């Protein structure tokens, strides 16, 4: 076989210079058959080795049968099933083949572009910031952000919470709706624990919340984030644009910066799909949305308890002081996103009012409660001392003189 350069030289001598095969043979010394093949070939000579086949070839029919039964079967499981049949190849050869043929055994999903009417839906999702949030006292805590996005205007809002419990999720939804300024027809969620009770049904608490604000709910199918793509893209934008390069003093600073970012950046930017600003569309969408109720739904935690002899109540690993004078009486505790209060059930007296702490394992004592405890200890010590002294009769010393005489 001649090389590429020799093949090109033979064709140049024959077609450009017009030399005969005899003359080319005399000049190059190549065999006449080699010269003839080079003249009549349109492509340069290439060495091609005959395919030797693959170790997987005898087992491809079995692999196809397994894929017909379950198109999502893993490559590891396929190797385990064909190994007793004699397959001794590695992982790569099976995975490469599965990438080529798996799509033949499952129907590909198609998507449609959805157009939303003004005020039709508001999509929600739970975003987990990468870094923990400072909460004071040298502590940080893992936070979550309830993210909301209106379908028509793409206007968004966010609320910081510190757990996935129902009251915190409902608080996040309420704060987002109040930030957006009006109520949509439907709230769209994935199957978030605490809101979804199974089978597309809401939990009692979420249903009660929707009933109070008069909105409907919709839960997406499992493993279907594409169904709420508006909020997914907004969340991705927040991960790339809001969090990097920022630092926060505490949870209040985080929420303040988040609100400012939504107002000045996310809702004020030129949206690529809409080709306008979400804040401009929001004005139009407000006309089709229901107004906010005068009083928002109650999402606070409430429970009743009896004030213990050690007048403290525990919430979220923290101990909050109670009025010592109410020991033994029942109080109703109410916890909002900012404060913790307790009211005596029989008289309506204020048992405590504390700023809620998101730091953990702290003891929070009000100054008036500490003073009352100190006064009670002093009174109890005085009573104990008075009862311990015996009552001795005091007599005149002259009486003793007469007895001695």
């Amino acid at each position: 076989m001649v090389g590429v350069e020799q093949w090109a030289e033979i064709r140049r001598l024959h077609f450009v210079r017009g030399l005969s095969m005899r003359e080319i043979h005399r000049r190059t010394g190549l065999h006449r058959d080699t010269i003839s093949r080079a003249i009549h070939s349109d492509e340069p000579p290439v060495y091609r080795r005959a395919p030797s086949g693959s170790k997987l070839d005898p087992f491809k029919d079995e692999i196809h049968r397994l894929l017909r039964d379950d198109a999502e079967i893993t490559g590891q499981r396929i190797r385990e099933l064909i190994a007793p049949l004699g397959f001794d190849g590695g992982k790569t050869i099976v995975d490469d083949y599965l990438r080529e043929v798996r799509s033949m055994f499952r129907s590909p999903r198609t998507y449609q572009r959805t157009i939303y009417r003004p005020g039709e839906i508001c999509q929600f999702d739970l975003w987990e910031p990468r870094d923990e949030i400072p909460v004071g006292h040298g502590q940080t805590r893992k936070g979550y952000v309830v993210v909301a996005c209106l379908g028509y205007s793409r206007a968004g809002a966010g609320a910081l919470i510190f757990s996935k419990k129902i009251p915190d999720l409902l608080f996040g939804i309420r704060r987002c709706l109040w930030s957006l300024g009006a109520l949509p027809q439907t709230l769209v969620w994935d199957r978030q624990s605490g809101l979804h009770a199974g089978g597309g049904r809401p939990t009692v608490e979420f249903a009660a919340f929707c009933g109070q604000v008069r909105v409907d709910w919709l839960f997406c199918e499992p493993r279907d984030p594409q169904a709420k793509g508006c909020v997914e893209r907004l969340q991705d934008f927040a991960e790339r644009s809001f969090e990097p390069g920022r630092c926060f003093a505490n949870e209040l600073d985080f929420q303040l910066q988040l609100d400012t970012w939504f107002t000045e950046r996310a809702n004020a930017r030129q949206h690529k799909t809409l080709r306008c600003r979400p804040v401009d569309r929001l004005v139009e969408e407000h006309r089709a949305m229901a107004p906010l109720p005068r009083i928002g739904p109650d999402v606070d935690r409430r429970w009743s308890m009896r004030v213990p002899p050690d007048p403290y109540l525990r919430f979220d690993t923290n101990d909050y002081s109670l009025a010592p004078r109410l020991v033994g009486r029942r109080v109703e505790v109410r916890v909002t996103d900012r404060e913790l209060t307790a009211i005596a059930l029989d008289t309506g007296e204020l048992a405590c009012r504390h700023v809620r702490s998101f730091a953990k394992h702290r003891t929070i004592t009000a100054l008036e409660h500490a003073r009352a405890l100190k006064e009670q200890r002093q009174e109890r010590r005085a009573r104990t001392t008075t009862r311990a002294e015996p009552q001795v009769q005091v007599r005149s010393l002259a009486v003793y003189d007469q007895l001695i005489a």
Side-chain angles (χ1 to χ4, degrees):
M1 177 183 295
V2 297
V4 176
E5 295 181 356
Q6 290 178 322
W7 173 84
E9 178 64 17
I10 293 173
R11 293 179 65 84
R12 186 186 69 82
L13 293 175
H14 179 73
F15 292 104
V16 177
R17 308 255 332 247
L19 301 181
S20 64
M21 293 177 57
R22 184 188 297 272
E23 183 62 23
I24 296 174
H25 167 69
R26 187 184 66 79
R27 291 192 179 190
T28 62
L30 296 175
H31 195 277
R32 289 188 177 87
D33 292 341
T34 301
I35 297 173
S36 176
R37 286 194 297 268
I39 292 174
H40 295 91
S41 174
D42 295 332
E43 297 180 355
V46 178
Y47 174 73
R48 292 184 178 89
R49 184 171 59 183
S52 59
S54 168
K55 287 185 177 181
L56 201 62
D57 290 343
F59 308 97
K60 288 183 177 179
D61 292 339
E62 179 64 16
I63 293 175
H64 295 173
R65 186 189 67 79
L66 294 173
L67 290 173
R68 279 193 295 269
D69 294 340
D70 181 9
E72 303 300 328
I73 187 171
T74 63
Q76 177 182 355
R77 182 57 181 158
I78 288 179
R79 293 199 310 273
E80 293 174 354
L81 293 174
I82 64 178
L85 303 180
F87 177 71
D88 59 353
K91 174 179 182 295
T92 303
I93 186 175
V94 176
D95 292 347
D96 290 345
Y97 184 70
L98 288 177
R99 275 191 289 270
E100 296 179 5
V101 301
R102 193 186 293 275
S103 60
M104 300 166 52
F105 297 90
R106 60 184 177 190
S107 55
R109 180 177 176 179
T110 58
Y111 301 92
Q112 65 178 7
R113 294 190 177 183
T114 305
I115 300 176
Y116 299 104
R117 297 190 301 270
E120 181 179 11
I121 67 165
C122 183
Q123 298 178 0
F124 287 87
D125 199 9
L126 198 61
W127 166 41
E128 299 183 13
R130 180 179 62 253
D131 300 326
E132 293 189 347
I133 312 299
V135 291
H137 305 279
Q139 298 185 30
T140 59
R141 187 169 176 179
K142 184 173 182 58
Y144 307 89
V145 177
V146 177
V147 183
C149 182
L150 292 171
Y152 177 76
S153 65
R154 304 298 201 276
L160 174 66
I161 59 177
F162 286 98
S163 78
K164 297 181 181 180
K165 296 180 180 179
I166 297 178
D168 289 330
L169 291 173
L170 296 181
F171 161 74
I173 298 174
R174 186 186 67 179
R175 195 184 192 287
C176 289
L177 293 176
W178 260 247
S179 298
L180 293 172
L183 296 175
Q185 298 176 10
T186 305
L187 308 183
V188 179
W189 269 93
D190 55 15
R191 306 204 165 194
Q192 177 65 45
S193 175
L195 304 177
H196 181 252
R201 296 176 292 103
T203 58
V204 174
E205 294 82 0
F206 185 48
F209 176 90
C210 294
Q212 291 181 62
V213 295
R214 298 182 180 181
V215 296
D216 199 0
W217 63 79
L218 175 66
F219 292 105
C220 301
E221 295 297 324
R223 301 177 298 278
D224 188 18
Q226 294 85 358
K228 51 183 181 64
C230 295
V231 71
E232 293 283 350
R233 285 187 288 272
L234 179 60
Q235 176 179 322
D236 179 70
F237 181 49
E239 291 176 355
R240 292 182 289 104
S241 176
F242 171 72
E243 190 175 13
R246 291 180 184 264
C247 59
F248 310 100
N250 50 33
E251 70 278 2
L252 298 178
D253 184 40
F254 183 97
Q255 184 65 65
L256 178 61
Q257 292 194 42
L258 183 64
D259 293 338
T260 304
W261 179 81
F262 272 108
T263 302
E264 299 179 356
R265 180 72 176 104
N267 295 338
R269 76 191 193 280
Q270 187 77 6
H271 197 278
K272 182 177 179 181
T273 302
L274 301 179
R275 291 182 173 82
C276 66
R277 300 191 308 165
V279 68
D280 297 332
R281 269 207 172 192
L282 183 60
V283 176
E284 178 185 353
E285 190 166 19
H286 273 171
R287 303 191 189 102
M289 299 173 70
L292 297 172
R294 186 173 58 88
I295 300 177
D298 186 3
V299 298
D300 300 336
R301 294 175 171 89
R302 296 173 182 264
W303 72 92
S304 62
M305 60 172 289
R306 192 178 301 277
V307 179
D310 178 23
Y312 284 86
L313 68 88
R314 177 161 294 181
F315 173 72
D316 196 19
T317 74
N318 292 325
D319 292 332
Y320 297 87
S321 65
L322 296 167
R325 67 180 183 278
L326 299 178
V327 170
R329 294 162 61 180
R330 297 194 67 82
V331 296
E332 182 189 43
V333 183
R334 179 174 181 177
V335 181
T336 69
D337 61 304
R338 290 290 175 258
E339 67 176 10
L340 181 148
T341 58
I343 304 295
L345 290 175
D346 52 357
T347 61
E349 297 178 71
L350 181 66
C352 73
R353 185 186 300 276
H354 295 283
V355 175
R356 181 177 173 183
S357 175
F358 291 99
K360 291 189 173 184
H361 306 293
R362 297 186 59 237
T363 299
I364 302 168
T365 304
L367 181 59
E368 60 271 17
H369 297 164
R371 288 173 176 172
L373 282 171
K374 182 178 180 180
E375 293 173 358
Q376 287 185 0
R377 285 195 300 270
Q378 292 175 347
E379 293 175 0
R380 186 166 54 253
R381 187 179 301 112
R383 289 195 301 268
T384 304
T385 303
T386 302
R387 286 196 301 269
E389 293 181 354
Q391 299 294 328
V392 180
Q393 183 180 3
V394 180
R395 304 182 71 176
S396 175
L397 294 178
V399 176
Y400 293 100
D401 292 340
Q402 293 176 1
L403 291 175
I404 295 173

